[in-house]
Amino acid sequence: MSESPETALRRALEMIEPEMLRGVARTDGGYVELLPDVPAPNPSPASIAMNNPVVAAIYEKLWRPFGVSMMGIAGMSMSAERAKAVADLRLSGHQRVLDVACGPGNFTKFLSEALTGDGLAVGFDISEAMIARAVRDNRGPRAAYVRGDAAHLPYADATFDAVCCYAALYLVPKPMTMLDELIRVLRPGGRIAIMTSCEPRPAPLGSVVGFGTGLAGVRMFPKNQFTDIFARAGMTDMEQDIHGLAQFVSATKQ
């Protein structure tokens, strides 16, 4: 059972495939560092912001609530969004949970509090600033953090009982590669939950919004794109909720 942040960190390290460690992993910063001396890529204004220590410091209280309001997620508070993730993932007990693009770890810590016993929530991000903030503010007896590349997750197939990725797929260079990795490391019977962007309708409005978000490095995904991907992957028990320019999609892996 995880009884301290140090124990949680050790367990997070043990979950990583040995060949992915390659002798470079470090834990002296309070997290598993798989990319020492490799800075996070900054291909867009949005990704530059995500790698900024100032943004990391204000992310939970100012930056993300502002982004959520801009996406038109009307009536859903941050606490309600987290509660939805716990419900959609059906978290309880001894589950192992992966929170990809975890940012400063507020979400990861909340997920970990739905677990008991040997349950563990692993927050995974490529941003040094975000991971450093997560370690500072949101370590716990069932919450630990890993810095690495989500396009190449360092885990064996079917490692996790639940995986989630909130507010990130629209920012990364290879969102479908990341999604494939999320599905790969999820065990059969496990739940996946994502929150990402959703193209508005009618089409002229979608073009205007798409142009503006494209300049900032934010992708807009069609309404049916992720439900179609999950269906082709043989997933069942699918749920989709659309709020403004955001969509929440969850499913069970068979």
Side-chain angles (χ1 to χ4, degrees):
M1 174 179 176
S2 294
E3 297 178 347
S4 69
E6 291 72 24
T7 302
L9 176 61
R10 175 182 56 77
R11 293 182 61 218
L13 178 62
E14 291 172 350
M15 293 174 67
I16 295 171
E17 288 285 88
E19 61 267 26
M20 297 298 292
L21 297 175
R22 296 189 298 273
V24 301
R26 296 168 47 184
T27 58
D28 53 323
Y31 61 95
V32 181
E33 172 63 89
L34 296 178
L35 300 173
D37 304 317
V38 178
N42 289 317
S44 69
S47 61
I48 290 171
M50 291 302 99
N51 292 308
N52 188 304
V54 174
V55 172
I58 66 172
Y59 184 83
E60 181 69 9
K61 291 185 177 180
L62 296 176
W63 186 274
R64 196 165 188 275
F66 173 74
V68 165
S69 67
M70 291 297 289
M71 292 180 74
I73 308 180
M76 181 171 288
S77 66
M78 297 298 292
S79 59
E81 189 179 336
R82 291 179 189 144
K84 178 173 176 55
V86 168
D88 287 347
L89 292 170
R90 300 173 188 172
L91 296 187
S92 65
H94 301 253
Q95 292 172 308
R96 297 187 295 182
V97 184
L98 180 64
D99 179 19
V100 169
C102 67
N106 305 80
F107 220 83
T108 309
K109 181 70 177 299
F110 186 86
L111 298 179
S112 78
E113 292 168 351
L115 308 175
T116 59
D118 288 334
L120 180 67
V122 177
F124 194 99
D125 207 298
I126 199 169
S127 167
E128 295 169 278
M130 290 293 183
I131 287 288
R133 195 76 191 187
V135 170
R136 173 180 169 177
D137 295 344
N138 289 301
R139 295 180 75 190
R142 296 184 182 86
Y145 299 92
V146 177
R147 179 175 179 262
D149 183 359
H152 305 281
L153 289 174
Y155 304 106
D157 296 355
T159 295
F160 291 92
D161 302 295
V163 298
C164 69
C165 181
Y166 268 45
L169 286 170
Y170 50 72
L171 297 175
V172 300
K174 298 178 180 179
M176 297 308 138
T177 299
M178 182 187 291
L179 189 65
D180 286 344
E181 283 289 272
L182 293 174
I183 295 171
R184 179 184 67 79
V185 302
L186 180 63
R187 70 163 177 82
R191 292 284 292 177
I192 184 172
I194 64 171
M195 187 276 271
T196 189
S197 59
C198 186
E199 283 182 349
R201 292 292 183 265
L205 177 59
S207 298
V208 172
V209 172
F211 177 75
T213 55
L215 291 177
V218 177
R219 300 171 189 262
M220 299 301 294
F221 296 107
K223 172 184 175 182
N224 297 326
Q225 184 164 358
F226 293 102
T227 53
D228 288 348
I229 289 172
F230 287 165
R232 288 196 298 270
M235 292 189 163
T236 60
D237 201 8
M238 202 178 311
E239 299 175 6
Q240 183 182 40
D241 295 311
I242 297 175
H243 296 262
L245 299 179
Q247 57 179 313
F248 297 80
V249 188
S250 59
T252 300
K253 185 175 181 178
Q254 295 301 298

